[in-house]
Amino acid sequence: MITELINHDHQNGGGNPVIITDIETTHYLLPLAHPMTDASHGVMRHFEVVLVQLQSDTGHKGQGYTYTIGSGGAAIRSLVDDALKPILLGADANDIEGIWERMWWHLHYIGRGGLVSFAMSAVDIALWDLKGQRESLPLWKLLGGCSGEARAYAGGIDLQLGPDELIEQTRCNLQKGFRAIKIKVGRDRLSEDVERVKAVRECIGPDMPLMVDANMRYSVERAIKAARKFRDYDIYWFEEPTIPDDYKGMARIASEGGLPIAAGENLHTIYEFRHTIEDGRIAFPEPDVSNIGGITNWMRVAKLAYAHNLPVTSHGVHELHLHLLAAIPNASFLEVHSFGLERFIKNPPTLKDGIMRAADAPGHGVQFDWAGLQAHEIN
């Protein structure tokens, strides 16, 4: 069966093939507007973006991209240029599932996740964008077109902020139109985490969703203790309380801590999601389209979650995830990450009363500020 998947050229509906004629990659080191801190990565001052552009013989182009937290971009770009480009040139861009399988098995021995999934993500996103361009359909309609919109929350990277600074940030986010808030936890003293959660809950009132994110900082026992203290503040979900590989520990935190668990931004295969859903007992699967293997695999995770009666949330790149959540019936909140590309996009999505609406431009519709990006290009 595997050999058949690798060697068989699928045809979509018997239509004429759309041949990939050229692939161009670019790599950028983008400064953050201000330093950000979480419990695992410390102080972050920049991030990297690897952009892939596919050219077809029909004249259409598709763009895809992935990002890293400050390192690894050159390795991802090399994987695309050296390992994936030779098997993509001349392929039928209609054959998205088949191309995904060929990339997966071509790099399976060194991959099964990790940097390979990042590289595959950029290519797969570009393929879907190309399909949307050809069919003159926005991505969210191309994928199923469920609602066309998503509820959004402000995802702060703010572990360094004290209670007063958190309140100021929260009020600013409320003024922007957010109606759900997430803050980081994972300080050395749990009492400080509790104090910060308490301050934000009092600021936003009793009814607005409030999420907390530990970025894997806690041990299982400490996460259970933290969850029990956070329960007093009606937490919507407790994100990544411990390392993603500890499925049994995650299940213990959920059952003994008494809070719904969100996790998935550090999972790079659908098989990891199957384990974290079935064994880890998470309540909110959180695939990231930029590292799960692209749109093709993100949608597989969404369907897996649907089969387990679970809502799906997202991580980062909200200009892409808006389309994906708008296309599925089991969408939860869209994370609007402060690690965003807004300063380098001409048409970032807008927020009104906690809702973002996906645009109707073909494909993902992201229009890059090429002049702004070029100033930060790595050759």
mmCIF file of all heavy atoms in Angstrom, residues 312-360:
data_model
loop_
_atom_site.group_PDB
_atom_site.id
_atom_site.type_symbol
_atom_site.label_atom_id
_atom_site.label_comp_id
_atom_site.label_asym_id
_atom_site.label_seq_id
_atom_site.Cartn_x
_atom_site.Cartn_y
_atom_site.Cartn_z
ATOM 1 N N VAL A 312 -11.698 22.385 17.813
ATOM 2 C CA VAL A 312 -10.312 22.635 17.422
ATOM 3 C C VAL A 312 -9.975 24.107 17.616
ATOM 4 O O VAL A 312 -10.762 24.986 17.245
ATOM 5 C CB VAL A 312 -10.087 22.252 15.942
ATOM 6 C CG1 VAL A 312 -8.673 22.611 15.490
ATOM 7 C CG2 VAL A 312 -10.339 20.761 15.751
ATOM 8 N N THR A 313 -8.814 24.373 18.191
ATOM 9 C CA THR A 313 -8.299 25.734 18.250
ATOM 10 C C THR A 313 -7.036 25.808 17.398
ATOM 11 O O THR A 313 -6.731 24.882 16.648
ATOM 12 C CB THR A 313 -8.048 26.167 19.704
ATOM 13 O OG1 THR A 313 -7.610 27.532 19.726
ATOM 14 C CG2 THR A 313 -7.009 25.293 20.390
ATOM 15 N N SER A 314 -6.300 26.921 17.476
ATOM 16 C CA SER A 314 -5.159 27.112 16.581
ATOM 17 C C SER A 314 -3.989 27.713 17.337
ATOM 18 O O SER A 314 -4.122 28.139 18.491
ATOM 19 C CB SER A 314 -5.547 28.025 15.405
ATOM 20 O OG SER A 314 -5.872 29.337 15.881
ATOM 21 N N HIS A 315 -2.850 27.792 16.650
ATOM 22 C CA HIS A 315 -1.642 28.377 17.236
ATOM 23 C C HIS A 315 -0.940 29.235 16.197
ATOM 24 O O HIS A 315 -0.495 28.734 15.160
ATOM 25 C CB HIS A 315 -0.686 27.277 17.720
ATOM 26 C CG HIS A 315 0.645 27.810 18.174
ATOM 27 N ND1 HIS A 315 1.799 27.679 17.425
ATOM 28 C CD2 HIS A 315 0.995 28.497 19.291
ATOM 29 C CE1 HIS A 315 2.807 28.247 18.073
ATOM 30 N NE2 HIS A 315 2.344 28.747 19.195
ATOM 31 N N GLY A 316 -0.845 30.545 16.462
ATOM 32 C CA GLY A 316 -0.111 31.433 15.581
ATOM 33 C C GLY A 316 -0.726 31.581 14.202
ATOM 34 O O GLY A 316 -1.858 31.157 13.943
ATOM 35 N N VAL A 317 0.033 32.206 13.289
ATOM 36 C CA VAL A 317 -0.336 32.478 11.885
ATOM 37 C C VAL A 317 -1.858 32.600 11.693
ATOM 38 O O VAL A 317 -2.445 31.880 10.889
ATOM 39 C CB VAL A 317 0.281 31.441 10.917
ATOM 40 C CG1 VAL A 317 1.767 31.668 10.746
ATOM 41 C CG2 VAL A 317 0.037 29.999 11.341
ATOM 42 N N HIS A 318 -2.450 33.538 12.404
ATOM 43 C CA HIS A 318 -3.917 33.590 12.406
ATOM 44 C C HIS A 318 -4.499 33.984 11.055
ATOM 45 O O HIS A 318 -5.662 33.677 10.772
ATOM 46 C CB HIS A 318 -4.420 34.535 13.507
ATOM 47 C CG HIS A 318 -4.044 35.971 13.319
ATOM 48 N ND1 HIS A 318 -2.877 36.502 13.832
ATOM 49 C CD2 HIS A 318 -4.687 36.997 12.697
ATOM 50 C CE1 HIS A 318 -2.815 37.783 13.541
ATOM 51 N NE2 HIS A 318 -3.890 38.108 12.852
ATOM 52 N N GLU A 319 -3.704 34.622 10.201
ATOM 53 C CA GLU A 319 -4.201 34.977 8.874
ATOM 54 C C GLU A 319 -4.474 33.721 8.034
ATOM 55 O O GLU A 319 -5.322 33.742 7.140
ATOM 56 C CB GLU A 319 -3.229 35.915 8.160
ATOM 57 C CG GLU A 319 -1.884 35.320 7.788
ATOM 58 C CD GLU A 319 -0.885 35.279 8.940
ATOM 59 O OE1 GLU A 319 -1.209 35.783 10.037
ATOM 60 O OE2 GLU A 319 0.215 34.737 8.732
ATOM 61 N N LEU A 320 -3.799 32.616 8.338
ATOM 62 C CA LEU A 320 -4.080 31.332 7.692
ATOM 63 C C LEU A 320 -5.121 30.524 8.463
ATOM 64 O O LEU A 320 -6.059 29.967 7.887
ATOM 65 C CB LEU A 320 -2.795 30.513 7.550
ATOM 66 C CG LEU A 320 -1.683 31.098 6.673
ATOM 67 C CD1 LEU A 320 -0.470 30.153 6.662
ATOM 68 C CD2 LEU A 320 -2.177 31.324 5.243
ATOM 69 N N HIS A 321 -4.945 30.448 9.778
ATOM 70 C CA HIS A 321 -5.869 29.648 10.587
ATOM 71 C C HIS A 321 -7.295 30.183 10.551
ATOM 72 O O HIS A 321 -8.250 29.420 10.758
ATOM 73 C CB HIS A 321 -5.377 29.589 12.037
ATOM 74 C CG HIS A 321 -4.260 28.627 12.246
ATOM 75 N ND1 HIS A 321 -3.066 28.968 12.827
ATOM 76 C CD2 HIS A 321 -4.136 27.304 11.923
ATOM 77 C CE1 HIS A 321 -2.275 27.917 12.870
ATOM 78 N NE2 HIS A 321 -2.909 26.896 12.339
ATOM 79 N N LEU A 322 -7.462 31.471 10.285
ATOM 80 C CA LEU A 322 -8.806 32.021 10.140
ATOM 81 C C LEU A 322 -9.569 31.264 9.057
ATOM 82 O O LEU A 322 -10.741 30.887 9.242
ATOM 83 C CB LEU A 322 -8.709 33.512 9.802
ATOM 84 C CG LEU A 322 -10.009 34.231 9.437
ATOM 85 C CD1 LEU A 322 -11.050 34.089 10.542
ATOM 86 C CD2 LEU A 322 -9.729 35.712 9.148
ATOM 87 N N HIS A 323 -8.927 31.009 7.930
ATOM 88 C CA HIS A 323 -9.581 30.263 6.848
ATOM 89 C C HIS A 323 -9.899 28.832 7.278
ATOM 90 O O HIS A 323 -10.972 28.298 6.960
ATOM 91 C CB HIS A 323 -8.660 30.218 5.628
ATOM 92 C CG HIS A 323 -8.640 31.480 4.828
ATOM 93 N ND1 HIS A 323 -9.521 31.732 3.814
ATOM 94 C CD2 HIS A 323 -7.830 32.562 4.911
ATOM 95 C CE1 HIS A 323 -9.261 32.918 3.277
ATOM 96 N NE2 HIS A 323 -8.230 33.446 3.935
ATOM 97 N N LEU A 324 -8.988 28.197 7.998
ATOM 98 C CA LEU A 324 -9.184 26.794 8.362
ATOM 99 C C LEU A 324 -10.309 26.640 9.374
ATOM 100 O O LEU A 324 -11.159 25.749 9.247
ATOM 101 C CB LEU A 324 -7.874 26.221 8.909
ATOM 102 C CG LEU A 324 -6.645 26.341 8.002
ATOM 103 C CD1 LEU A 324 -5.466 25.573 8.594
ATOM 104 C CD2 LEU A 324 -6.942 25.836 6.603
ATOM 105 N N LEU A 325 -10.313 27.482 10.405
ATOM 106 C CA LEU A 325 -11.389 27.403 11.401
ATOM 107 C C LEU A 325 -12.734 27.796 10.790
ATOM 108 O O LEU A 325 -13.779 27.265 11.173
ATOM 109 C CB LEU A 325 -11.064 28.292 12.591
ATOM 110 C CG LEU A 325 -9.914 27.800 13.482
ATOM 111 C CD1 LEU A 325 -9.551 28.848 14.527
ATOM 112 C CD2 LEU A 325 -10.256 26.484 14.178
ATOM 113 N N ALA A 326 -12.702 28.724 9.824
ATOM 114 C CA ALA A 326 -13.942 29.142 9.162
ATOM 115 C C ALA A 326 -14.518 28.051 8.263
ATOM 116 O O ALA A 326 -15.675 28.131 7.847
ATOM 117 C CB ALA A 326 -13.697 30.400 8.339
ATOM 118 N N ALA A 327 -13.709 27.026 7.983
ATOM 119 C CA ALA A 327 -14.128 25.969 7.060
ATOM 120 C C ALA A 327 -14.656 24.730 7.751
ATOM 121 O O ALA A 327 -15.183 23.833 7.086
ATOM 122 C CB ALA A 327 -12.953 25.579 6.162
ATOM 123 N N ILE A 328 -14.529 24.640 9.089
ATOM 124 C CA ILE A 328 -14.889 23.390 9.781
ATOM 125 C C ILE A 328 -16.039 23.626 10.755
ATOM 126 O O ILE A 328 -16.203 24.727 11.287
ATOM 127 C CB ILE A 328 -13.672 22.786 10.520
ATOM 128 C CG1 ILE A 328 -13.169 23.727 11.632
ATOM 129 C CG2 ILE A 328 -12.562 22.461 9.535
ATOM 130 C CD1 ILE A 328 -12.087 23.124 12.511
ATOM 131 N N PRO A 329 -16.827 22.584 11.040
ATOM 132 C CA PRO A 329 -17.964 22.750 11.949
ATOM 133 C C PRO A 329 -17.590 22.703 13.424
ATOM 134 O O PRO A 329 -18.399 23.089 14.274
ATOM 135 C CB PRO A 329 -18.868 21.572 11.572
ATOM 136 C CG PRO A 329 -17.914 20.520 11.095
ATOM 137 C CD PRO A 329 -16.822 21.263 10.386
ATOM 138 N N ASN A 330 -16.388 22.210 13.752
ATOM 139 C CA ASN A 330 -15.993 22.044 15.158
ATOM 140 C C ASN A 330 -14.900 23.030 15.553
ATOM 141 O O ASN A 330 -13.948 22.684 16.243
ATOM 142 C CB ASN A 330 -15.551 20.608 15.436
ATOM 143 C CG ASN A 330 -14.427 20.125 14.530
ATOM 144 O OD1 ASN A 330 -14.391 20.471 13.353
ATOM 145 N ND2 ASN A 330 -13.526 19.310 15.068
ATOM 146 N N ALA A 331 -15.054 24.278 15.119
ATOM 147 C CA ALA A 331 -14.061 25.303 15.428
ATOM 148 C C ALA A 331 -14.271 25.871 16.827
ATOM 149 O O ALA A 331 -15.399 26.139 17.247
ATOM 150 C CB ALA A 331 -14.132 26.433 14.405
ATOM 151 N N SER A 332 -13.161 26.051 17.536
ATOM 152 C CA SER A 332 -13.163 26.791 18.787
ATOM 153 C C SER A 332 -12.564 28.166 18.500
ATOM 154 O O SER A 332 -12.754 28.715 17.419
ATOM 155 C CB SER A 332 -12.366 26.036 19.852
ATOM 156 O OG SER A 332 -12.316 26.773 21.055
ATOM 157 N N PHE A 333 -11.783 28.709 19.426
ATOM 158 C CA PHE A 333 -11.230 30.044 19.276
ATOM 159 C C PHE A 333 -10.009 30.059 18.358
ATOM 160 O O PHE A 333 -9.219 29.118 18.319
ATOM 161 C CB PHE A 333 -10.826 30.602 20.643
ATOM 162 C CG PHE A 333 -11.980 31.158 21.426
ATOM 163 C CD1 PHE A 333 -12.639 30.382 22.368
ATOM 164 C CD2 PHE A 333 -12.403 32.459 21.230
ATOM 165 C CE1 PHE A 333 -13.691 30.881 23.095
ATOM 166 C CE2 PHE A 333 -13.464 32.977 21.954
ATOM 167 C CZ PHE A 333 -14.105 32.192 22.889
ATOM 168 N N LEU A 334 -9.855 31.163 17.649
ATOM 169 C CA LEU A 334 -8.686 31.475 16.833
ATOM 170 C C LEU A 334 -7.697 32.273 17.683
ATOM 171 O O LEU A 334 -8.061 33.315 18.241
ATOM 172 C CB LEU A 334 -9.115 32.311 15.630
ATOM 173 C CG LEU A 334 -8.027 32.987 14.797
ATOM 174 C CD1 LEU A 334 -7.295 31.956 13.946
ATOM 175 C CD2 LEU A 334 -8.626 34.084 13.911
ATOM 176 N N GLU A 335 -6.461 31.768 17.784
ATOM 177 C CA GLU A 335 -5.451 32.541 18.495
ATOM 178 C C GLU A 335 -4.918 33.649 17.589
ATOM 179 O O GLU A 335 -4.438 33.388 16.492
ATOM 180 C CB GLU A 335 -4.276 31.663 18.936
ATOM 181 C CG GLU A 335 -3.203 32.500 19.640
ATOM 182 C CD GLU A 335 -2.019 31.685 20.132
ATOM 183 O OE1 GLU A 335 -1.545 30.819 19.381
ATOM 184 O OE2 GLU A 335 -1.578 31.922 21.264
ATOM 185 N N VAL A 336 -5.012 34.885 18.080
ATOM 186 C CA VAL A 336 -4.360 36.008 17.418
ATOM 187 C C VAL A 336 -3.083 36.268 18.198
ATOM 188 O O VAL A 336 -3.081 36.860 19.268
ATOM 189 C CB VAL A 336 -5.258 37.251 17.373
ATOM 190 C CG1 VAL A 336 -4.527 38.421 16.720
ATOM 191 C CG2 VAL A 336 -6.541 36.934 16.608
ATOM 192 N N HIS A 337 -2.008 35.742 17.645
ATOM 193 C CA HIS A 337 -0.718 35.678 18.318
ATOM 194 C C HIS A 337 -0.032 37.040 18.257
ATOM 195 O O HIS A 337 -0.045 37.706 17.227
ATOM 196 C CB HIS A 337 0.147 34.642 17.586
ATOM 197 C CG HIS A 337 1.076 33.881 18.455
ATOM 198 N ND1 HIS A 337 2.046 34.492 19.189
ATOM 199 C CD2 HIS A 337 1.190 32.546 18.687
ATOM 200 C CE1 HIS A 337 2.736 33.554 19.842
ATOM 201 N NE2 HIS A 337 2.226 32.373 19.560
ATOM 202 N N SER A 338 0.590 37.450 19.354
ATOM 203 C CA SER A 338 1.399 38.662 19.310
ATOM 204 C C SER A 338 2.711 38.421 18.580
ATOM 205 O O SER A 338 3.484 39.348 18.345
ATOM 206 C CB SER A 338 1.664 39.184 20.728
ATOM 207 O OG SER A 338 2.046 38.150 21.605
ATOM 208 N N PHE A 339 2.960 37.164 18.182
ATOM 209 C CA PHE A 339 4.082 36.773 17.337
ATOM 210 C C PHE A 339 3.607 36.818 15.884
ATOM 211 O O PHE A 339 3.755 35.851 15.150
ATOM 212 C CB PHE A 339 4.481 35.326 17.666
ATOM 213 C CG PHE A 339 5.936 35.132 17.956
ATOM 214 C CD1 PHE A 339 6.370 34.906 19.249
ATOM 215 C CD2 PHE A 339 6.879 35.166 16.950
ATOM 216 C CE1 PHE A 339 7.703 34.696 19.535
ATOM 217 C CE2 PHE A 339 8.221 34.960 17.218
ATOM 218 C CZ PHE A 339 8.639 34.732 18.513
ATOM 219 N N GLY A 340 2.988 37.911 15.462
ATOM 220 C CA GLY A 340 2.294 37.917 14.179
ATOM 221 C C GLY A 340 3.049 38.597 13.061
ATOM 222 O O GLY A 340 4.058 39.278 13.259
ATOM 223 N N LEU A 341 2.519 38.426 11.841
ATOM 224 C CA LEU A 341 3.108 38.995 10.635
ATOM 225 C C LEU A 341 2.433 40.292 10.205
ATOM 226 O O LEU A 341 2.708 40.788 9.117
ATOM 227 C CB LEU A 341 2.990 37.983 9.487
ATOM 228 C CG LEU A 341 4.043 36.885 9.390
ATOM 229 C CD1 LEU A 341 3.617 35.851 8.355
ATOM 230 C CD2 LEU A 341 5.407 37.457 9.031
ATOM 231 N N GLU A 342 1.550 40.854 11.039
ATOM 232 C CA GLU A 342 0.744 41.990 10.616
ATOM 233 C C GLU A 342 1.562 43.121 10.019
ATOM 234 O O GLU A 342 1.151 43.762 9.047
ATOM 235 C CB GLU A 342 -0.077 42.546 11.794
ATOM 236 C CG GLU A 342 -1.208 41.662 12.236
ATOM 237 C CD GLU A 342 -0.766 40.691 13.312
ATOM 238 O OE1 GLU A 342 0.457 40.535 13.502
ATOM 239 O OE2 GLU A 342 -1.636 40.086 13.941
ATOM 240 N N ARG A 343 2.750 43.394 10.590
ATOM 241 C CA ARG A 343 3.564 44.509 10.104
ATOM 242 C C ARG A 343 4.115 44.264 8.709
ATOM 243 O O ARG A 343 4.589 45.194 8.056
ATOM 244 C CB ARG A 343 4.720 44.769 11.077
ATOM 245 C CG ARG A 343 4.291 45.358 12.414
ATOM 246 C CD ARG A 343 5.482 45.544 13.337
ATOM 247 N NE ARG A 343 6.125 44.272 13.654
ATOM 248 C CZ ARG A 343 7.446 44.074 13.663
ATOM 249 N NH1 ARG A 343 8.266 45.068 13.363
ATOM 250 N NH2 ARG A 343 7.947 42.898 13.982
ATOM 251 N N PHE A 344 4.038 43.016 8.252
ATOM 252 C CA PHE A 344 4.590 42.669 6.943
ATOM 253 C C PHE A 344 3.512 42.183 5.976
ATOM 254 O O PHE A 344 3.825 41.597 4.945
ATOM 255 C CB PHE A 344 5.677 41.605 7.111
ATOM 256 C CG PHE A 344 6.781 42.042 8.046
ATOM 257 C CD1 PHE A 344 6.775 41.658 9.376
ATOM 258 C CD2 PHE A 344 7.798 42.867 7.597
ATOM 259 C CE1 PHE A 344 7.776 42.071 10.244
ATOM 260 C CE2 PHE A 344 8.804 43.291 8.452
ATOM 261 C CZ PHE A 344 8.799 42.893 9.776
ATOM 262 N N ILE A 345 2.249 42.434 6.324
ATOM 263 C CA ILE A 345 1.118 42.066 5.474
ATOM 264 C C ILE A 345 0.306 43.332 5.179
ATOM 265 O O ILE A 345 0.006 44.110 6.087
ATOM 266 C CB ILE A 345 0.225 41.012 6.170
ATOM 267 C CG1 ILE A 345 0.993 39.706 6.335
ATOM 268 C CG2 ILE A 345 -1.041 40.768 5.354
ATOM 269 C CD1 ILE A 345 0.219 38.647 7.107
ATOM 270 N N LYS A 346 -0.048 43.520 3.922
ATOM 271 C CA LYS A 346 -0.792 44.721 3.534
ATOM 272 C C LYS A 346 -2.264 44.643 3.923
ATOM 273 O O LYS A 346 -2.920 45.677 4.065
ATOM 274 C CB LYS A 346 -0.668 44.938 2.022
ATOM 275 C CG LYS A 346 0.735 45.296 1.548
ATOM 276 C CD LYS A 346 0.757 45.525 0.048
ATOM 277 C CE LYS A 346 2.140 45.918 -0.442
ATOM 278 N NZ LYS A 346 2.176 46.123 -1.915
ATOM 279 N N ASN A 347 -2.778 43.432 4.041
ATOM 280 C CA ASN A 347 -4.212 43.269 4.281
ATOM 281 C C ASN A 347 -4.489 42.319 5.450
ATOM 282 O O ASN A 347 -5.190 41.303 5.277
ATOM 283 C CB ASN A 347 -4.893 42.748 3.019
ATOM 284 C CG ASN A 347 -4.360 41.382 2.582
ATOM 285 O OD1 ASN A 347 -3.227 41.018 2.904
ATOM 286 N ND2 ASN A 347 -5.180 40.618 1.875
ATOM 287 N N PRO A 348 -3.968 42.594 6.647
ATOM 288 C CA PRO A 348 -4.236 41.683 7.771
ATOM 289 C C PRO A 348 -5.723 41.632 8.082
ATOM 290 O O PRO A 348 -6.447 42.611 7.859
ATOM 291 C CB PRO A 348 -3.446 42.313 8.920
ATOM 292 C CG PRO A 348 -3.322 43.754 8.567
ATOM 293 C CD PRO A 348 -3.205 43.790 7.064
ATOM 294 N N PRO A 349 -6.213 40.495 8.559
ATOM 295 C CA PRO A 349 -7.643 40.394 8.892
ATOM 296 C C PRO A 349 -8.005 41.343 10.025
ATOM 297 O O PRO A 349 -7.183 41.652 10.890
ATOM 298 C CB PRO A 349 -7.816 38.930 9.306
ATOM 299 C CG PRO A 349 -6.441 38.459 9.645
ATOM 300 C CD PRO A 349 -5.492 39.238 8.810
ATOM 301 N N THR A 350 -9.233 41.811 10.003
ATOM 302 C CA THR A 350 -9.699 42.761 11.004
ATOM 303 C C THR A 350 -10.623 42.080 12.007
ATOM 304 O O THR A 350 -11.228 41.042 11.719
ATOM 305 C CB THR A 350 -10.430 43.936 10.350
ATOM 306 O OG1 THR A 350 -11.521 43.434 9.563
ATOM 307 C CG2 THR A 350 -9.487 44.710 9.444
ATOM 308 N N LEU A 351 -10.719 42.694 13.177
ATOM 309 C CA LEU A 351 -11.482 42.138 14.297
ATOM 310 C C LEU A 351 -12.627 43.073 14.648
ATOM 311 O O LEU A 351 -12.452 44.291 14.712
ATOM 312 C CB LEU A 351 -10.555 41.973 15.501
ATOM 313 C CG LEU A 351 -11.164 41.473 16.809
ATOM 314 C CD1 LEU A 351 -11.516 39.991 16.687
ATOM 315 C CD2 LEU A 351 -10.184 41.690 17.950
ATOM 316 N N LYS A 352 -13.813 42.511 14.888
ATOM 317 C CA LYS A 352 -14.957 43.298 15.344
ATOM 318 C C LYS A 352 -15.750 42.483 16.341
ATOM 319 O O LYS A 352 -16.219 41.384 16.032
ATOM 320 C CB LYS A 352 -15.846 43.700 14.163
ATOM 321 C CG LYS A 352 -17.012 44.587 14.574
ATOM 322 C CD LYS A 352 -17.835 45.023 13.369
ATOM 323 C CE LYS A 352 -18.995 45.919 13.792
ATOM 324 N NZ LYS A 352 -19.823 46.332 12.624
ATOM 325 N N ASP A 353 -15.864 43.007 17.552
ATOM 326 C CA ASP A 353 -16.646 42.351 18.614
ATOM 327 C C ASP A 353 -16.245 40.890 18.799
ATOM 328 O O ASP A 353 -17.096 40.000 18.931
ATOM 329 C CB ASP A 353 -18.145 42.450 18.320
ATOM 330 C CG ASP A 353 -18.647 43.885 18.365
ATOM 331 O OD1 ASP A 353 -18.096 44.678 19.164
ATOM 332 O OD2 ASP A 353 -19.578 44.218 17.613
ATOM 333 N N GLY A 354 -14.935 40.640 18.783
ATOM 334 C CA GLY A 354 -14.438 39.302 19.050
ATOM 335 C C GLY A 354 -14.474 38.345 17.884
ATOM 336 O O GLY A 354 -14.115 37.177 18.036
ATOM 337 N N ILE A 355 -14.875 38.811 16.701
ATOM 338 C CA ILE A 355 -15.029 37.946 15.538
ATOM 339 C C ILE A 355 -14.113 38.423 14.415
ATOM 340 O O ILE A 355 -14.012 39.618 14.145
ATOM 341 C CB ILE A 355 -16.486 37.944 15.020
ATOM 342 C CG1 ILE A 355 -17.444 37.482 16.124
ATOM 343 C CG2 ILE A 355 -16.623 37.072 13.778
ATOM 344 C CD1 ILE A 355 -17.285 36.038 16.527
ATOM 345 N N MET A 356 -13.456 37.472 13.744
ATOM 346 C CA MET A 356 -12.732 37.757 12.514
ATOM 347 C C MET A 356 -13.436 37.050 11.364
ATOM 348 O O MET A 356 -13.826 35.898 11.492
ATOM 349 C CB MET A 356 -11.276 37.287 12.597
ATOM 350 C CG MET A 356 -10.369 38.252 13.321
ATOM 351 S SD MET A 356 -8.622 37.821 13.157
ATOM 352 C CE MET A 356 -7.874 39.301 13.852
ATOM 353 N N ARG A 357 -13.568 37.763 10.269
ATOM 354 C CA ARG A 357 -14.223 37.218 9.083
ATOM 355 C C ARG A 357 -13.190 36.966 8.002
ATOM 356 O O ARG A 357 -12.370 37.833 7.701
ATOM 357 C CB ARG A 357 -15.271 38.209 8.571
ATOM 358 C CG ARG A 357 -15.970 37.779 7.297
ATOM 359 C CD ARG A 357 -17.339 37.232 7.574
ATOM 360 N NE ARG A 357 -17.874 36.524 6.397
ATOM 361 C CZ ARG A 357 -18.702 35.517 6.477
ATOM 362 N NH1 ARG A 357 -19.072 35.068 7.653
ATOM 363 N NH2 ARG A 357 -19.164 34.923 5.400
ATOM 364 N N ALA A 358 -13.202 35.768 7.415
ATOM 365 C CA ALA A 358 -12.262 35.431 6.358
ATOM 366 C C ALA A 358 -12.623 36.171 5.074
ATOM 367 O O ALA A 358 -13.804 36.346 4.750
ATOM 368 C CB ALA A 358 -12.265 33.925 6.109
ATOM 369 N N ALA A 359 -11.598 36.612 4.364
ATOM 370 C CA ALA A 359 -11.812 37.350 3.120
ATOM 371 C C ALA A 359 -12.233 36.418 1.991
ATOM 372 O O ALA A 359 -12.105 35.199 2.087
ATOM 373 C CB ALA A 359 -10.538 38.102 2.740
ATOM 374 N N ASP A 360 -12.723 37.008 0.907
ATOM 375 C CA ASP A 360 -13.173 36.238 -0.251
ATOM 376 C C ASP A 360 -12.189 36.266 -1.403
ATOM 377 O O ASP A 360 -12.503 35.806 -2.504
ATOM 378 C CB ASP A 360 -14.534 36.754 -0.731
ATOM 379 C CG ASP A 360 -15.670 36.272 0.171
ATOM 380 O OD1 ASP A 360 -15.573 35.135 0.675
ATOM 381 O OD2 ASP A 360 -16.636 37.020 0.374
#
